[in-house]
Amino acid sequence: MSTLTEENYKSASVRRKRLRQLWIAFLLFPAVTILATFVFLPMISAIWYSVYEWDGLVRGDFVGLANFAEVLFNPQSNKFLFNAFFNNVKVFVTLMIVQNGLALALALLLAREPKGYRFYQVVFFLPVILSTVIIGFQWKLFLNPIFGLVNTFLRMVELDSWALPWLGLPETALGSMLIVNAWHWVGFPTLVFLAAIHRIPKDLIEAARLDGASEWNIARDIIWPLMAPAVTIIVVLTFIGSFNWFEIPYIMGGLEGSPAYSTDMLGLLFYRTAFGSVSAGNSDFGTGSALAVLIFIFIFTFSTIATRYLTSREVELS
Amino acid sequence: MTNLKRLATSAILGAATFAYAGTALAQTELSFWSWRQEDVKAYNQIIAAFEEQNPDISVTFTAHEAKSYNTILTTALAGGAGPDIMHTRSYGSLEAIAAPGYLEPLDGQIDLSALSADELLGTTLRADGHVYAVPFASQTALVFYNKDLFEKHNVDVPATWEEFKAAADAFKQNNVNPLANGIADGWTAEVMAGALMPNFYGKEFFGEVTSGSADFEDPRFVGALEKIAELKDYMPTGYEGVDYATMKQLFIAGQAAMFVGGSFEIPGFVESGVNFDIMPAPAAKAGDERMVATWLDGGYGVNASSENKEAALKFIQFTATQPFAQMLSDKLANVPAVDGAVIADPMLAKVSAFHAEASPYIMLVGFRFNTPTGSTLLQNGLQELLTGKKTAAEVAKDVSDGIKSAK
């Protein structure tokens, strides 16, 4: 097939080639325009905004890196930055272990095609297609300390002391939100892992089994290295998702990372700073933009390093 | 002949069109933005009354989502797409749009004589002393109580803090939540503390702390916070996770005897059918003052770059008159800022009477001008205090340090 098109190319006139290029450019145009307008332009304008002083939404004087210094070195603002950053780190680590770990376990189970596995595949994936807003509100109701489903159930089975105000205690709020997030998203990595496992030639596994390898050894020494590309994707996506985490904490804990900043995230901090809120104060585009630029640099740098590293350890199936 | 006829017809048609266009041109259309989604119907009635007197002006009222209103409004104003007239918030949030020059200064253009100096303070830009909006209504933080539950369990309505705690204990023994309040939503914790604390820190504290002669580590403020910490025992089980909606549900369903909140709850509670009454926060001890905490909710302002400024000012003048205040009180159950309205609603009249002994709602009135705001500091401090993470003295220090570093 490929030789055929190559021959076609060789015999085709320069004009036809031009036409094809034009056609490609035409097809790319909408995507590039949208990307430029909604991704690159805001990014560049954020950098532009971050070097000015702002009085609400009115641009003031050029201040160089003063906004960055304010965000990073003023003890009254960097305590929020570090607190939020540390919370995002907690989110990443927890989601890697709980969400992706569970997804891997589920994928390994489903790959063995137990009875009704197609049904489970759909069930696990179902929450992924629901809107995050709906899930946030629904779980907020489930976790209500007085009327909520979770505590009603706990009281029913006489575990009254377990019926905590989950979203109200600084110790449990973030954990509860992470469980909700894992419930919401676990289907996605499961599906990616499952697809990766299906890609592994069956005879490889059969051969190992004939040689007397245990199921654990097969999973560790054959399946795991061969599904590395899928792991790369999921790790990088989880990293980006964790450091951009916004919807669930916003819906379930509010803009202030309630209670007492225990669920504060970089995204919430940015939103509060840049746009202000009724009680948090007035909008400040300067420090807000500086914060956004810092978040972007951090995520970009680390996801690039992670991608490089993880790709280098991928095993090619040939 | 036919040509002449045709000419005459087109001349008449042309004249008619011109005349029609003329009336359309004379009709000035004003856009009016607000965050009061629950008040759309009442505002349309009030606007109809204005349009009757001013047939050449028509006003379109648009209510945006309350939480994002400040963002929507400031973004629109900065982009030159703001409304002609707008509901502004008060104090710090007003300054955010008045300082960059988005609002038309009103003193000199509008007769503001029906408003008190105290109320005008909420819509005055401190930097230049001009008034940028006509104040519309005040809100009051106070205590709601369920009359049926007090009667059923034979509990006296408390007047002092000791009586308040005794009443709360009595309800607890009868398996009724003494208080409906929770702290999951920081702002409801601020309202609760804002209602109860003034009677402990006293009448002078506000003036001293805003002028800088006292700070928030003052023993009066620490002492007031300690009293708030005592409420832990009287809030519902799991109060740490009880949000605003749950609080209201508990009170309306008769599962809690008292609800510390803002006077803006009155219409909702009336509609729910719960048999309630209101009282100022309890006095520290018998014979002491019983103050409520009050603040100005917001005002009506004119877009400085509006093309219909004259008509807009006409409408704003209307909001500074007694007939408007009367409608505000009758239709919206607000205690109007403008003097001269006869408050027919007995509950509202009671709120208005409480104003005789009042203290400003401290963080909103005094400390929402800079970042971090006093509200953010207090809200999080209260969550830490009431979840046992910090002591009253530690919270007071955090608030004090935060306020001193604010800019």
Side-chain angles (χ1 to χ4, degrees):
Chain A
M1 188 65 197
S2 69
T3 47
L4 203 79
T5 42
E6 261 166 46
E7 274 163 25
N8 278 350
Y9 270 180
K10 277 171 196 161
S11 60
S13 68
V14 183
R15 222 179 122 209
R16 258 182 85 183
K17 212 171 168 183
R18 281 253 170 85
L19 210 73
R20 195 184 153 76
Q21 280 170 342
L22 225 93
W23 178 237
I24 291 172
F26 172 73
L27 288 179
L28 279 175
F29 181 73
V32 171
T33 318
I34 290 172
L35 216 65
T37 322
F38 295 105
V39 179
F40 299 132
L41 203 71
M43 238 152 65
I44 293 162
S45 59
I47 297 171
W48 176 252
Y49 289 167
S50 67
V51 290
Y52 283 91
E53 198 187 333
W54 288 77
D55 183 8
L57 290 163
V58 181
R59 208 181 67 200
D61 300 329
F62 178 82
V63 290
L65 296 177
N67 289 327
F68 290 90
E70 163 75 26
V71 173
L72 284 171
F73 304 119
N74 180 345
Q76 280 294 335
S77 23
N78 72 11
K79 69 175 181 194
F80 292 110
L81 178 70
F82 296 146
N83 172 59
F85 177 77
F86 189 56
N87 283 337
N88 281 107
V89 172
K90 280 191 217 165
V91 171
F92 175 62
V93 173
T94 316
L95 289 183
M96 277 302 292
I97 297 169
V98 176
Q99 182 174 303
N100 296 343
L102 185 66
L104 184 63
L106 289 174
L108 286 170
L109 280 175
L110 288 173
R112 302 175 67 178
E113 308 195 349
K115 199 165 172 248
Y117 77 100
R118 285 217 175 270
F119 170 75
Y120 289 114
Q121 212 172 307
V122 173
V123 168
F124 296 144
F125 195 72
L126 213 57
V128 176
I129 60 168
L130 291 175
S131 143
T132 311
V133 178
I134 295 172
I135 285 176
F137 274 113
Q138 201 62 47
W139 274 94
K140 204 177 163 185
L141 290 178
F142 287 168
L143 291 166
N144 184 302
I146 296 170
F147 312 112
L149 206 65
V150 174
N151 283 2
T152 310
F153 173 77
L154 288 169
R155 285 192 201 102
M156 215 167 71
V157 296
E158 300 198 352
L159 283 170
D160 288 45
S161 61
W162 285 32
L164 297 171
W166 300 101
L167 294 172
L169 294 175
E171 297 83 8
T172 55
L174 184 58
S176 309
M177 290 179 194
L178 284 168
I179 289 172
V180 173
N181 193 79
W183 179 84
H184 182 11
W185 283 112
V186 74
F188 180 70
T190 306
L191 214 66
V192 175
F193 290 152
L194 191 60
I197 296 171
H198 279 319
R199 240 183 96 230
I200 300 167
K202 282 232 162 53
D203 40 350
L204 259 171
I205 297 169
E206 291 301 318
R209 212 164 265 155
L210 281 178
D211 287 343
S214 68
E215 287 303 314
W216 165 247
N217 277 332
I218 293 172
R220 196 190 66 180
D221 298 328
I222 298 177
I223 298 177
W224 176 246
L226 288 177
M227 62 188 284
V231 174
T232 305
I233 294 169
I234 293 302
V235 170
V236 173
L237 285 181
T238 307
F239 178 78
I240 296 172
S242 300
F243 281 88
N244 280 331
W245 207 39
F246 183 83
E247 295 96 331
I248 293 277
Y250 176 63
I251 295 159
M252 300 180 75
L255 208 45
E256 315 277 324
S258 184
Y261 297 115
S262 60
T263 62
D264 200 13
M265 298 290 141
L266 289 171
L268 293 173
L269 178 63
F270 157 72
Y271 189 97
R272 275 204 313 271
T273 314
F275 297 105
S277 79
V278 177
S279 49
N282 302 327
S283 63
D284 182 349
F285 263 40
T287 41
S289 300
L291 200 56
V293 171
L294 288 173
I295 298 172
F296 170 75
I297 292 173
F298 172 78
I299 294 179
F300 183 77
T301 314
F302 275 80
S303 50
T304 311
I305 294 171
T307 316
R308 282 274 166 86
Y309 169 72
L310 291 169
T311 322
S312 73
R313 59 171 275 282
E314 281 172 13
V315 187
E316 258 321 302
L317 263 183
S318 48
Chain B
M1 187 62 199
T2 39
N3 270 351
L4 206 69
K5 220 175 183 177
R6 210 175 273 162
L7 196 72
T9 324
S10 49
I12 291 164
L13 263 177
T17 317
F18 187 72
Y20 178 71
T23 53
L25 276 177
Q27 184 84 19
T28 312
E29 282 181 27
L30 296 176
S31 51
F32 178 4
W33 284 11
S34 169
W35 72 86
R36 302 290 308 168
Q37 286 175 321
E38 50 276 72
D39 296 345
V40 174
K41 207 176 127 199
Y43 268 105
N44 282 332
Q45 290 169 354
I46 293 173
I47 286 166
F50 171 77
E51 287 172 340
E52 211 167 284
Q53 293 168 20
N54 300 278
D56 53 332
I57 302 172
S58 73
V59 182
T60 312
F61 183 82
T62 313
H64 296 277
E65 202 247 325
K67 253 190 185 169
S68 351
Y69 179 71
N70 287 13
T71 313
I72 295 170
L73 182 67
T74 39
T75 316
L77 287 170
D84 299 302
I85 320 165
M86 70 209 88
H87 239 144
T88 69
R89 307 234 189 224
S90 44
Y91 310 106
S93 297
L94 176 98
E95 295 216 337
I97 51 172
Y102 296 136
L103 293 179
E104 180 76 8
L106 300 179
D107 35 339
Q109 304 201 63
I110 298 278
D111 176 14
L112 297 166
S113 58
L115 288 143
S116 74
D118 249 10
E119 277 149 351
L120 288 172
L121 211 61
T123 55
T124 302
L125 180 62
R126 294 170 308 163
D128 66 8
H130 286 300
V131 175
Y132 284 90
V134 171
F136 79 97
S138 65
Q139 297 293 353
T140 311
L142 35 73
V143 181
F144 294 82
Y145 63 95
N146 184 317
K147 287 204 305 207
D148 292 344
L149 286 175
F150 270 79
E151 209 165 293
K152 184 178 165 198
H153 298 290
N154 214 5
V155 180
D156 290 329
V157 177
T160 64
W161 186 247
E162 286 312 313
E163 289 172 17
F164 182 82
K165 289 201 292 183
D169 283 326
F171 282 117
K172 232 175 141 177
Q173 276 163 15
N174 288 305
N175 285 323
V176 174
N177 292 307
L179 277 173
N181 293 69
I183 57 166
D185 288 320
W187 71 268
T188 66
E190 189 191 353
V191 175
M192 177 175 79
L196 300 174
M197 287 202 298
N199 292 335
F200 294 108
Y201 58 62
K203 210 175 182 83
E204 279 75 42
F205 182 67
F206 179 83
E208 289 173 27
V209 79
T210 42
S211 70
S213 64
D215 64 14
F216 282 102
E217 284 185 82
D218 191 289
R220 286 172 291 178
F221 190 75
V222 178
L225 278 176
E226 275 163 0
K227 299 291 177 189
I228 299 298
E230 290 177 18
L231 294 175
K232 244 192 286 198
D233 300 336
Y234 304 122
M235 293 197 273
T237 325
Y239 64 89
E240 300 96 329
V242 168
D243 61 1
Y244 178 51
T246 309
M247 283 164 58
K248 289 201 288 190
Q249 232 166 326
L250 285 172
F251 187 69
I252 288 169
Q255 289 183 29
M258 290 179 276
F259 179 107
V260 187
S263 52
F264 48 83
E265 307 290 1
I266 292 174
F269 286 162
V270 169
E271 202 172 313
S272 76
V274 59
N275 184 17
F276 74 98
D277 205 346
I278 50 176
M279 60 175 170
K285 54 184 192 300
D288 282 4
E289 60 211 340
R290 270 187 95 176
M291 295 183 288
V292 288
T294 58
W295 70 94
L296 178 74
D297 213 6
Y300 305 104
V302 173
N303 188 343
S305 58
S306 164
E307 286 168 12
N308 307 310
K309 217 181 271 177
E310 201 181 319
L313 283 168
K314 222 179 214 178
F315 185 84
I316 296 302
Q317 179 63 72
F318 170 65
T319 66
T321 59
Q322 188 272 338
F324 180 85
Q326 191 64 51
M327 282 189 276
L328 206 63
S329 153
D330 294 346
K331 293 185 197 299
L332 287 170
N334 274 318
V335 178
V338 173
D339 295 336
V342 181
I343 300 179
D345 181 83
M347 199 62 77
L348 217 53
K350 222 176 226 181
V351 176
S352 182
F354 290 160
H355 287 194
E357 268 191 296
S359 178
Y361 181 56
I362 190 160
M363 292 308 188
L364 171 55
V365 177
F367 299 97
R368 274 204 201 167
F369 297 96
N370 301 313
T371 315
T373 63
S375 293
T376 320
L377 294 164
L378 182 60
Q379 287 176 15
N380 285 285
L382 288 168
Q383 284 181 336
E384 288 170 325
L385 179 72
L386 291 164
T387 50
K389 288 243 148 203
K390 283 189 176 165
T391 64
E394 285 166 339
V395 169
K397 185 177 180 336
D398 286 348
V399 173
S400 181
D401 289 348
I403 292 289
K404 281 173 190 162
S405 77
K407 55 184 172 194

